[in-house]
Amino acid sequence: MFIGVDHGTTGIRFAETEGRWVELSRQQARDMTREQIIGAVLAGLGARKEDVKLIAVNYSMGDGISRITPIQKAANRGVISQKGAGVHVGGGTNVYDAIAASGLPAIVVPGIHRGNYGDPCFRVYSHGASPEKLGIAYNAYLDGRDRSFVVSDISSNTVTFGVADLKLLGAIDACIFAPGVHHGPLDLQAIRDVDAGLLTANDAFSTAGVTKLLPYKTLDGLLVALERGDPEARWAFDTIAVFAAMEVASFLTLIPDARVFTAGSVGSMDMVRDRIASLVRKDVKVLGKLSAAIGLAQIARDVHGGKKDILGIGVNL
């Protein structure tokens, strides 16, 4: 069995290549012992320790490594620093350390950043995407074996990335352009608030999504409001779709014949997918919310099988 671990914003998902999966909330994972975490994952996947051939792990920004690396060789959990964009709970750290201490074979997948961008233009950005996006990209590739494609992963934040001729060019991170439900780029008012000492830059990023202008502060709340026909909720999802489409369109200037995918809880909504498709004038295929975890499991399987390159990201075994 090959397992992929998706350290997402709301939870940590574990999946194997055939689609079986189990999820722990970040708070659950924070409060469990290492042994409890491994036990819960194996039980949820119906596996024993000896069944596991390789696990693909991701952690935070993944900017401390540039290639897929054995977990024993990934210093500082594969990151430069735990400080940065996003809310730190501790669940992902506990999961990473549980796997590292378990004796199970594991590799750490890097984020997309200055050390491994496929297109040198993206070097202007220190960071493009966290490591689970490589899992989504690989899952998208295996979906139809397209050599060039664009994926917009939309949920709490929005991250869009492009692959040209099986090489991941780069990514537009959530702090750069399109907002999600909770996170987004720092606009002029946010910069003023940070300079005035009213909040930190990370706080500003973590509250710069569309919900900053609405009374609904969760995705579930937005969905309930949408079902009631609230125009503000419709505005929120339309706004997210429009800016995600702009990110997709920016990659289509580099790879005009690319296939387009969406992923994530918001990217899986029909109204969001259809709005993006109408704007970019292309069919859009939805990848499920498990695409990152399954894609990472597929990476583990193919690295175990001897693959030395995953969409332009090298394998350092």
Side-chain angles (χ1 to χ4, degrees):
M1 176 182 286
F2 300 95
I3 300 173
V5 185
D6 171 20
H7 179 193
T9 302
T10 57
I12 304 169
R13 288 178 281 273
F14 308 79
E16 48 90 44
T17 52
E18 301 307 311
R20 284 181 293 183
W21 64 286
V22 62
E23 181 172 5
L24 299 174
S25 74
R26 294 168 70 183
Q27 289 77 14
Q28 280 179 307
R30 177 195 61 197
D31 297 335
M32 295 168 75
T33 67
R34 295 174 181 179
E35 293 75 16
Q36 287 172 330
I37 289 171
I38 298 300
V41 172
L42 293 176
L45 297 177
R48 301 166 300 170
K49 260 192 167 185
E50 53 266 34
D51 297 327
V52 179
K53 295 181 179 178
L54 191 62
I55 305 175
V57 182
N58 74 84
Y59 184 76
S60 189
M61 299 294 101
D63 55 356
I65 54 175
S66 296
R67 298 195 288 170
I68 295 169
T69 304
I71 198 165
Q72 297 84 2
K73 295 182 180 179
N76 198 37
R77 304 188 188 93
V79 296
I80 293 175
S81 170
Q82 284 187 205
K83 296 181 179 179
V87 178
H88 179 73
V89 174
T93 303
N94 210 18
V95 165
Y96 184 102
D97 291 347
I99 292 171
S102 70
L104 292 168
I107 51 175
V108 183
V109 175
I112 310 305
H113 53 80
R114 272 191 190 137
N116 56 17
Y117 284 134
D119 185 315
C121 289
F122 283 90
R123 288 178 55 241
V124 71
Y125 299 127
S126 64
H127 188 263
S130 49
E132 78 276 1
K133 303 305 187 266
L134 184 60
I136 296 174
Y138 200 59
N139 185 243
Y141 162 62
L142 293 179
D143 178 81
R145 298 284 175 173
D146 299 274
R147 296 182 64 85
S148 298
F149 52 91
V150 178
V151 183
S152 191
D153 183 30
I154 314 166
S155 54
S156 293
N157 52 41
T158 300
V159 179
T160 304
F161 40 97
V163 172
D165 198 22
L166 297 186
K167 189 174 191 178
L168 209 158
L169 299 180
I172 301 173
D173 204 355
C175 56
I176 297 170
F177 191 178
V181 173
H182 297 118
H183 306 155
L186 274 63
D187 65 2
L188 178 60
Q189 186 58 52
I191 292 171
R192 286 170 172 164
D193 289 345
V194 170
D195 284 350
L198 300 177
L199 70 173
T200 68
N202 190 37
D203 289 339
F205 162 73
S206 299
T207 55
V210 294
T211 50
K212 70 181 177 182
L213 299 176
L214 302 176
Y216 317 110
K217 298 305 178 185
T218 66
L219 176 57
D220 287 343
L222 271 177
L223 291 172
V224 169
L226 184 67
E227 288 180 6
R228 291 201 310 261
D230 189 323
E232 288 283 66
R234 178 164 288 279
W235 168 86
F237 290 115
D238 191 59
T239 298
I240 290 172
V242 166
F243 281 99
M246 289 181 185
E247 289 191 345
V248 170
S250 69
F251 273 104
L252 291 175
T253 63
L254 295 175
I255 36 177
D257 296 327
R259 190 179 182 193
V260 178
F261 295 88
T262 56
S265 53
V266 176
S268 298
M269 295 173 63
D270 288 345
M271 67 174 291
V272 172
R273 177 205 57 201
D274 293 346
R275 180 73 157 128
I276 292 172
S278 70
L279 290 168
V280 301
R281 296 181 176 86
K282 279 181 175 280
D283 290 336
V284 175
K285 171 74 182 291
V286 173
L287 300 167
K289 75 170 187 176
L290 295 175
S291 60
I294 292 174
L296 289 163
Q298 292 166 330
I299 289 173
R301 177 195 64 201
D302 292 350
V303 167
H304 184 270
K307 195 155 186 151
K308 303 298 183 187
D309 177 283
I310 301 292
L311 301 181
I313 305 300
V315 178
N316 178 30
L317 296 185

